[in-house]
Amino acid sequence: MTDTPDIRAEILARATRAGLTITTAESCTGGMVAAALTDLPGSSTIFERGFVTYSNAAKTDLLGVSTDTLAAHGAVSEAVAGEMAAGARHQARADIAVAVTGIAGPGGSEFKPEGRVCFGLNYGSEALVEKMDFGALGRDAVRRAARDHALNLILSALP
């Protein structure tokens, strides 16, 4: 991991101090964000559950992502990432939710290239969505970059 250990410790310290809980909704990272958070002793004070929703059906069934949104924008979209984060926050009754959906590779298309990852962050009355193009770094590197970016998003939401 790059600077993930320091980020994780800072997330744990800030969330614990503020009494906030965090949840994750992950597709292309397959639980890597949740694993990074729960690797730390004491993480149970801030993290109760996360969602790995790799398929569209899982996104709909577990997080309430609209089939219309999926049909209109595709799973790798800011719209879906936003709905994933909102759904995870609601289902987990958490204070902060981060969502990740993307194309880790290999493959992709002209419109959605390998390395494109969309993120959603939902906390307080705030909702943020963004798209990152990490490039065709290879599956493992894209997934690690997405994990680290998601952790930085969580950190940005913490007091």
PDB file of all heavy atoms in Angstrom, residues 9 27-28 44 53 151:
ATOM      1  N   ALA A   9      -5.229   5.287   9.709  1.00  0.00           N
ATOM      2  CA  ALA A   9      -5.111   5.684  11.112  1.00  0.00           C
ATOM      3  C   ALA A   9      -5.760   7.043  11.356  1.00  0.00           C
ATOM      4  O   ALA A   9      -6.431   7.244  12.371  1.00  0.00           O
ATOM      5  CB  ALA A   9      -3.637   5.712  11.524  1.00  0.00           C
ATOM      6  N   SER A  27     -17.686  -1.888  -6.046  1.00  0.00           N
ATOM      7  CA  SER A  27     -17.820  -2.773  -7.195  1.00  0.00           C
ATOM      8  C   SER A  27     -16.426  -3.213  -7.622  1.00  0.00           C
ATOM      9  O   SER A  27     -15.934  -4.243  -7.164  1.00  0.00           O
ATOM     10  CB  SER A  27     -18.579  -2.085  -8.329  1.00  0.00           C
ATOM     11  OG  SER A  27     -18.842  -2.997  -9.365  1.00  0.00           O
ATOM     12  N   CYS A  28     -15.715  -2.415  -8.394  1.00  0.00           N
ATOM     13  CA  CYS A  28     -14.433  -2.854  -8.955  1.00  0.00           C
ATOM     14  C   CYS A  28     -13.366  -3.116  -7.890  1.00  0.00           C
ATOM     15  O   CYS A  28     -12.437  -3.874  -8.137  1.00  0.00           O
ATOM     16  CB  CYS A  28     -13.920  -1.864  -9.996  1.00  0.00           C
ATOM     17  SG  CYS A  28     -13.466  -0.256  -9.351  1.00  0.00           S
ATOM     18  N   SER A  44     -13.979  -1.411  14.661  1.00  0.00           N
ATOM     19  CA  SER A  44     -15.396  -1.734  14.885  1.00  0.00           C
ATOM     20  C   SER A  44     -16.157  -0.564  15.499  1.00  0.00           C
ATOM     21  O   SER A  44     -17.384  -0.539  15.438  1.00  0.00           O
ATOM     22  CB  SER A  44     -15.536  -2.979  15.764  1.00  0.00           C
ATOM     23  OG  SER A  44     -14.966  -2.746  17.029  1.00  0.00           O
ATOM     24  N   THR A  53     -20.976  -4.917  -4.281  1.00  0.00           N
ATOM     25  CA  THR A  53     -22.071  -5.062  -5.236  1.00  0.00           C
ATOM     26  C   THR A  53     -21.482  -5.055  -6.641  1.00  0.00           C
ATOM     27  O   THR A  53     -21.505  -4.048  -7.326  1.00  0.00           O
ATOM     28  CB  THR A  53     -23.109  -3.935  -5.044  1.00  0.00           C
ATOM     29  OG1 THR A  53     -22.443  -2.680  -5.134  1.00  0.00           O
ATOM     30  CG2 THR A  53     -23.789  -4.056  -3.691  1.00  0.00           C
ATOM     31  N   LEU A 151     -10.360   6.219   0.165  1.00  0.00           N
ATOM     32  CA  LEU A 151      -9.959   6.524   1.545  1.00  0.00           C
ATOM     33  C   LEU A 151      -9.720   8.026   1.720  1.00  0.00           C
ATOM     34  O   LEU A 151     -10.107   8.616   2.745  1.00  0.00           O
ATOM     35  CB  LEU A 151      -8.700   5.727   1.921  1.00  0.00           C
ATOM     36  CG  LEU A 151      -8.900   4.226   2.059  1.00  0.00           C
ATOM     37  CD1 LEU A 151      -7.551   3.516   2.215  1.00  0.00           C
ATOM     38  CD2 LEU A 151      -9.826   3.887   3.217  1.00  0.00           C
TER      39      LEU A 151
END
